[in-house]
Amino acid sequence: MPLPRPRAASAAALRLALGAAVLGATALGATVLAAQPPTTEPAGAAGSGGGRAAAASLQAVPRSGSIVLDGRLDEEAWQNAPPSPPFTQSYPNPGQPPTDSIDVRVLYDDAAIYVGARMYDAHPDSIAAQLARRDASGIYSDWLHVIIDSYHDRRTAFRFSVNPRGVQKDVYTSNDGNEDLNWDAVWEVATRVDSLGWVAEYRIPLSQLRYGSDAPAGGRVWGFQVMRDVARRNERDSFSPWTPQSPGFVSSFGLLTGLGDLPSPRRLEVLPYVSAKATREPGSSADPFYHDTDLQPSIGGDVRYGLPGGLTLTGTINPDFGQVEVDPAVVNLSAFETFFPEKRPFFLEGSDVFDFGSVRANARYGGATFLYSRRIGRAPTRAGALGFDPDIAYYDAPDQTRILGAAKITGKHGPWTVGLLNAVTAEETADILTADGVRDETPVEPLADYLAGRLRRDLRNGQTVLGAMVAGTVRDMGDDVFDPLLSRRAGFGGVDFEHAWHDREWFVSGYAAASRVDASEAVIEGLQRNSAHYYQRPDADYLDLDPARTSLTGHMVELALEKNGTWWGSLDAVESSPGFEINDVGFHGRVDYRALSGLFGYQNYQAGRHVRQRNYFVYGTSAWNFGGTSIYQGVSANANVTLNNFWSFGASAGVNPRYSSDRLTRGGPLAELPASWRGSVNVGTDSRKVVYGSAFLSYSHDESGASSTSLSLDVQARPSSSLNVSLGPTLSTQNSTSQYLRTVTDPLATATYGARYVFGDLHQTTLSLDTRIEWTLTPTLSLQTYVQPFVSAVRYERFKEFAAPRTYDFAVYGTDRGTIAYDAEARRYTVDPDGAGAAPSFTFGNPTFNSRSLRGNAVLRWQYRPGSALFLVWQQQRNDSEAIGDFDAGRDVGAIFRTVPRNVFLVKVTYWFGA
């Protein structure tokens, strides 16, 4: 498709968008996140070992003489710097001396921090040194991690990691342990392996760190941590004592002293890009908008500017995300939207600042993503519907809404964490050819402005945090075509808090948020009726469906108590009102619930005779809707162990007694779900081997005979130090006795409130194969490929209707009630629900289908100078659907490759300017 032509925006709309951006930036200028990562990454764990060890301290000294980054540490300046105190093991023997010693020294000047580290190794020929692309995770390699808390707030840090082959990784840490691997800095490091072990020599520009402009009395003191990972022993050694059961992560750092009054550097970075994209896809020669090859040049860029006080302004104009990996294929038969994670670098970097609603709890029910940045630049609202308009013969609509510009201010100013994000998306149009042969254009997405603001205040050295957040969108609804489709204004506001005590062993956290949507009566009625709300449920007397409403409001509140340590657990209570709605700027599934969740567990990371670490826990959840009906009950138990041979094993089991569902009939009456049970097992092999992997098997079954099975494998192979291959096949089956099909209005169906709720038995088999190949020629040149063939066969049978509210009873057509006939040529079923009775008959199409697809991309990335890169990208998509219903792997996989693909080729060049 050709590059869509922008329409002239109305003056009022432009004032709306630009005014919001200026107002937000002015307000900020005037004023001024927790899952455990794998043990290969130095991040905080949710544990406490009953007390904090004394923090280490290291003195930095001014650089005297020149430093050449060559991994030798032979300059006189290094000899004049004090060596670090002895390190201690974090695991497998916490508190013990390292197997091999480490020597770290720190220098500084007005432009940079220099870190020199000597990692001694009695067997240097055994040092693991896998070559990989920058920011790679999960590779088999030794690592050195230099982590600096330059704010010295005991919650925030900047990590600079390197392996013996010079592979770099930079990570931003917030909230005492939450990691953001999408943060990118421009820094240098040289490594060398020799007869004594290996060496890392860093130069970290001060411009890449964040700290206040005024030094405290007595000079600057930063939080400082250095960690060394030895892959073959799965050993971590730390400069300042830390274990996986320590209370926090950044809060356990040691001190870097002697920094004096470091200057606040000028921080200006500009990253322009130019790109050219060529798209080749199948089409009809009769389509006047079709081109064999569609060329789309583009130009834009990003800018970063260091504001006073440790804040950073980041902006982007016409961002291009062509090098981002494609989303995996799914078949969604539920009433809810599929959640896909954000992958675009601009929105990922610094996203932790806008984290809201993430309480410290190990088990939760429901939940929401309060800022879901994939709403910004989504597919145009009306684009998909044009193909179903009988008055339109052909059309050409954009795949995504263009982001005209976006900016954000993030960072810390003293005890304050601040964030402001503003983005303006374009008004998009589609070119159309009407059935009468007239060429025209029609709007498919209005001009919109998205704004989010975040403010947090640290107290008690970061052990107490108070915060607030607002987010919303405003759309230019000047074109009446959008009035029944989209809200005019929507958003939320809320406050949150976190409080720790007993040396961070205990936490209490929570939030309260309120939402509001303003729109036409049609939009608000649609929201009341959609799957998140279902105000129309006939037996829900506490709900009030009002077609005359022009706004919808609601709230969500959550409170959690967490204990860390060897014995750990949490309690969580959450409430989401029936009118809570944030899907214009956030993401949530259902609302209208109150829930209690609890978890209690035991963990131990001290290596024993046979077991290196173990973790056991039990948890349960109960939930009710606002009418007092139980909508979920469940309890489960889990056990996980890692042996001294580095194999891991896990198992889980759970039961769900009978409870009610207010979603099964998709807006109809309550149903009772049958009791069920489930179990799973997993095993992982020794990751030190050239070929290793893991397997996961799960099974569930209920009283009605419904069941599901899933088997997934993850096989990793590294045939050489520069090549890594990953295969992830997954085979799953689902047999459902209550797959919803449609609702038919019939006043004679008095038992079910004047409607018939039609269901069928579903049999689904799905096979996918996630394949990744990463070939790294040098630390700055890599080829990464991702391919996912996907097939799913879905067959329906035993069509039936829901018989009585608050039961799981169904009447099968043709057996228990009425008649059913099938027209094979038209592929339609005709149902007479009461045979010779007065009830009218109805029809529906055969829902059986086979879905097949292949999605993949290949990205060649060359970082030809620090901060600058060249991307060569190839993306391919193949899609096919056929009404078969049975699963045949050979036939269905072969059919994928007989379809005509959509190919996209992209060349993109970025160039970093820094000052």
Side-chain angles (χ1 to χ4, degrees):
M1 298 181 183
L3 189 68
R5 298 189 302 272
R7 291 180 65 190
S10 68
L14 286 176
R15 285 197 300 270
L16 175 153
L18 298 177
V22 172
L23 177 63
T26 303
L28 183 60
T31 308
V32 183
L33 309 151
Q36 294 187 44
T39 55
T40 55
E41 295 296 323
S48 169
R52 187 188 301 274
S57 179
L58 178 62
Q59 181 182 358
V61 298
R63 177 176 64 85
S64 57
S66 62
I67 294 290
V68 178
L69 292 186
D70 56 5
R72 295 184 184 276
L73 304 183
D74 52 1
E75 291 89 354
E76 184 179 356
W78 290 119
Q79 311 310 314
N80 295 333
S84 58
F87 281 50
T88 59
Q89 281 194 45
S90 294
Y91 50 78
N93 299 298
Q96 297 300 310
T99 304
D100 295 297
S101 60
I102 307 104
D103 182 355
V104 176
R105 303 174 189 229
V106 179
L107 307 170
Y108 69 91
D109 57 26
D110 287 346
I113 293 287
Y114 302 83
V115 179
R118 155 67 72 179
M119 281 65 66
Y120 292 96
D121 197 311
H123 302 282
D125 57 339
S126 299
I127 292 173
Q130 181 80 12
L131 195 60
R133 61 183 174 83
R134 184 182 175 120
D135 291 336
S137 295
I139 65 173
Y140 178 68
S141 180
D142 287 21
W143 285 96
L144 183 74
H145 313 282
V146 174
I147 320 171
I148 301 173
D149 173 13
S150 52
Y151 287 123
H152 201 201
D153 62 357
R154 299 177 177 85
R155 296 179 64 87
T156 308
F158 304 90
R159 168 154 70 96
F160 305 89
S161 302
V162 69
N163 83 342
R165 295 288 296 273
V167 176
Q168 293 178 257
K169 178 187 295 188
D170 31 38
V171 179
Y172 173 70
T173 302
S174 63
N175 200 27
D176 202 16
N178 292 345
E179 292 200 328
D180 178 6
L181 276 74
N182 301 286
W183 176 70
D184 286 319
V186 179
W187 52 286
E188 299 173 272
V189 65
T191 60
R192 181 179 296 272
V193 178
D194 57 25
S195 61
L196 299 178
W198 67 286
V199 175
E201 190 173 20
Y202 287 79
R203 183 184 184 274
I204 303 171
L206 296 177
S207 63
Q208 303 303 297
L209 300 172
R210 304 292 181 263
Y211 52 91
S213 55
D214 298 323
R220 296 188 188 276
V221 176
W222 288 350
F224 189 66
Q225 179 68 287
V226 180
M227 292 177 163
R228 175 193 185 181
D229 290 338
V230 183
R232 67 183 184 276
R233 294 192 291 264
N234 192 23
E235 177 182 327
R236 169 164 297 164
D237 307 315
S238 298
F239 159 73
S240 189
W242 175 87
T243 75
Q245 293 169 263
S246 293
F249 180 60
V250 180
S251 56
S252 69
F253 281 13
L255 302 177
L256 183 63
T257 64
L259 295 171
D261 186 11
L262 284 178
S264 295
R266 179 187 177 193
R267 294 186 283 117
L268 175 62
E269 301 174 46
V270 181
L271 188 69
Y273 81 86
V274 293
S275 70
K277 182 170 69 172
T279 302
R280 293 183 59 87
E281 58 185 326
S284 170
S285 59
D287 184 349
F289 307 116
Y290 173 70
H291 303 281
D292 290 337
T293 302
D294 182 19
L295 296 176
Q296 296 182 8
S298 185
I299 186 170
D302 299 341
V303 60
R304 276 190 205 160
Y305 181 68
L307 300 174
L311 303 182
T312 300
L313 169 65
T314 306
T316 184
I317 298 174
N318 192 31
D320 177 89
F321 305 115
Q323 76 279 11
V324 174
E325 185 175 288
V326 295
D327 293 319
V330 295
V331 172
N332 185 353
L333 300 177
S334 75
F336 303 101
E337 177 186 3
T338 299
F339 180 90
F340 290 110
E342 178 63 270
K343 298 179 180 180
R344 299 171 297 178
F346 175 82
F347 294 105
L348 282 170
E349 186 173 333
S351 60
D352 62 284
V353 174
F354 300 97
D355 185 24
F356 182 89
S358 297
V359 299
R360 286 184 175 264
N362 308 110
R364 304 170 66 191
Y365 177 87
T369 300
F370 282 82
L371 181 62
Y372 184 45
S373 56
R374 286 192 66 142
R375 303 291 185 204
I376 304 171
R378 66 185 183 182
T381 304
R382 295 187 64 235
L386 297 180
F388 299 96
D389 190 334
D391 295 328
I392 298 177
Y394 297 99
Y395 70 94
D396 181 20
D399 296 326
Q400 294 178 321
T401 303
R402 286 170 299 132
I403 301 173
L404 297 178
K408 59 185 176 183
I409 298 176
T410 57
K412 296 203 69 167
H413 180 75
W416 294 95
T417 299
V418 294
L420 181 70
L421 169 67
N422 187 240
V424 179
T425 58
E427 180 179 15
E428 297 286 7
T429 63
D431 294 322
I432 63 173
L433 179 68
T434 68
D436 298 330
V438 178
R439 294 189 65 150
D440 199 355
E441 62 178 26
T442 183
V444 291
E445 184 72 16
L447 178 78
D449 183 88
Y450 295 83
L451 181 67
R454 183 74 160 116
L455 188 65
R456 294 179 19 147
R457 176 67 157 85
D458 293 355
L459 304 167
R460 299 174 56 242
N461 292 323
Q463 295 189 79
T464 299
V465 181
L466 304 177
M469 183 170 176
V470 294
T473 183
V474 181
R475 299 184 175 97
D476 175 15
M477 304 293 282
D479 199 312
D480 293 340
V481 71
F482 297 115
D483 198 53
L485 299 176
L486 293 168
S487 62
R488 293 185 296 274
R489 292 177 299 275
F492 81 93
V495 295
D496 60 349
F497 79 97
E498 180 181 297
H499 176 70
W501 71 96
H502 201 266
D503 200 18
R504 299 179 183 265
E505 184 176 353
W506 290 86
F507 283 88
V508 61
S509 57
Y511 65 89
S515 67
R516 181 182 178 93
V517 180
D518 293 305
S520 66
E521 293 178 355
V523 170
I524 297 301
E525 182 179 359
L527 287 177
Q528 293 176 84
R529 291 180 175 275
N530 73 16
S531 60
H533 305 276
Y534 285 146
Y535 270 64
Q536 71 272 29
R537 289 175 9 233
D539 51 357
D541 55 7
Y542 65 96
L543 295 175
D544 177 24
L545 175 62
D546 183 358
R549 282 181 180 166
T550 57
S551 65
L552 188 66
T553 61
H555 70 270
M556 188 169 182
V557 182
E558 190 168 5
L559 182 67
L561 174 69
E562 180 188 57
K563 180 193 180 298
N564 298 318
T566 302
W567 295 97
W568 58 288
S570 67
L571 293 173
D572 181 82
V574 62
E575 171 179 298
S576 182
S577 73
F580 185 71
E581 173 60 46
I582 60 170
N583 275 328
D584 280 276
V585 293
F587 186 99
H588 64 78
R590 68 157 298 151
V591 294
D592 184 13
Y593 60 84
R594 296 183 173 109
L596 294 173
S597 301
L599 181 146
F600 179 71
Y602 170 82
Q603 60 183 351
N604 191 322
Y605 294 88
Q606 176 70 52
R609 182 176 180 183
H610 301 292
V611 178
R612 293 177 64 89
Q613 60 188 51
R614 70 285 292 164
N615 193 345
Y616 317 111
F617 57 94
V618 295
Y619 62 97
T621 295
S622 296
W624 304 264
N625 64 22
F626 270 54
T629 302
S630 173
I631 56 172
Y632 183 82
Q633 301 289 329
V635 62
S636 298
N638 287 64
N640 300 280
V641 297
T642 301
L643 305 181
N644 282 335
N645 63 1
F646 295 93
W647 282 58
S648 60
F649 299 89
S652 69
V655 295
N656 296 92
R658 294 181 182 180
Y659 57 85
S660 297
S661 170
D662 55 7
R663 295 297 187 265
L664 182 70
T665 56
R666 309 282 178 95
L670 285 169
E672 182 184 62
L673 296 185
S676 63
W677 64 269
R678 61 193 179 278
S680 68
V681 293
N682 62 82
V683 58
T685 68
D686 184 355
S687 61
R688 300 173 300 175
K689 305 299 184 182
V690 173
V691 179
Y692 63 98
S694 61
F696 176 82
L697 173 66
S698 67
Y699 179 78
S700 66
H701 192 86
D702 72 20
E703 290 177 310
S704 73
S707 65
S708 66
T709 305
S710 179
L711 172 63
S712 61
L713 303 175
D714 181 20
V715 180
Q716 304 277 340
R718 45 178 185 272
S720 71
S721 63
S722 61
L723 183 62
N724 191 77
V725 180
S726 171
L727 299 176
T730 298
L731 176 65
S732 63
T733 63
Q734 180 184 1
N735 298 293
S736 172
T737 56
S738 57
Q739 180 60 46
Y740 174 85
L741 288 173
R742 61 176 300 185
T743 298
V744 179
T745 301
D746 187 347
L748 298 179
T750 56
T752 50
Y753 301 95
R756 301 186 186 277
Y757 300 93
V758 184
F759 290 79
D761 287 359
L762 175 143
H763 306 281
Q764 181 179 10
T765 302
T766 301
L767 175 66
S768 65
L769 176 61
D770 286 5
T771 305
R772 300 178 188 273
I773 301 175
E774 298 183 6
W775 183 26
T776 310
L777 288 79
T778 72
T780 59
L781 179 61
S782 63
L783 175 64
Q784 183 179 10
T785 63
Y786 168 76
V787 179
Q788 187 211 38
F790 174 93
V791 296
S792 185
V794 179
R795 186 179 81 256
Y796 288 81
E797 61 185 19
R798 295 186 75 243
F799 299 103
K800 50 196 174 182
E801 68 178 54
F802 185 57
R806 297 181 181 271
T807 71
Y808 196 73
D809 296 336
F810 297 90
V812 178
Y813 295 129
T815 302
D816 302 324
R817 181 177 297 177
T819 62
I820 184 170
Y822 181 60
D823 183 341
E825 184 176 348
R827 299 196 73 253
R828 295 195 67 80
Y829 288 93
T830 299
V831 174
D832 188 337
D834 62 354
S841 61
F842 61 89
T843 67
F844 59 89
N846 188 346
T848 292
F849 67 92
N850 283 41
S851 177
R852 309 150 175 155
S853 70
L854 184 142
R855 301 187 179 196
N857 68 348
V859 180
L860 178 69
R861 183 182 188 275
W862 175 36
Q863 185 176 334
Y864 59 90
R865 65 185 300 270
S868 306
L870 167 68
F871 297 92
L872 300 179
V873 182
W874 171 40
Q875 294 182 350
Q876 184 178 104
Q877 294 190 26
R878 297 171 181 259
N879 296 284
D880 177 56
S881 183
E882 193 173 356
I884 301 175
D886 66 279
F887 178 79
D888 185 315
R891 177 198 64 207
D892 290 330
V893 172
I896 296 176
F897 296 95
R898 289 191 294 272
T899 61
V900 181
R902 179 179 189 266
N903 288 293
V904 178
F905 303 91
L906 173 77
V907 179
K908 178 179 177 181
V909 181
T910 65
Y911 192 91
W912 180 82
F913 298 90

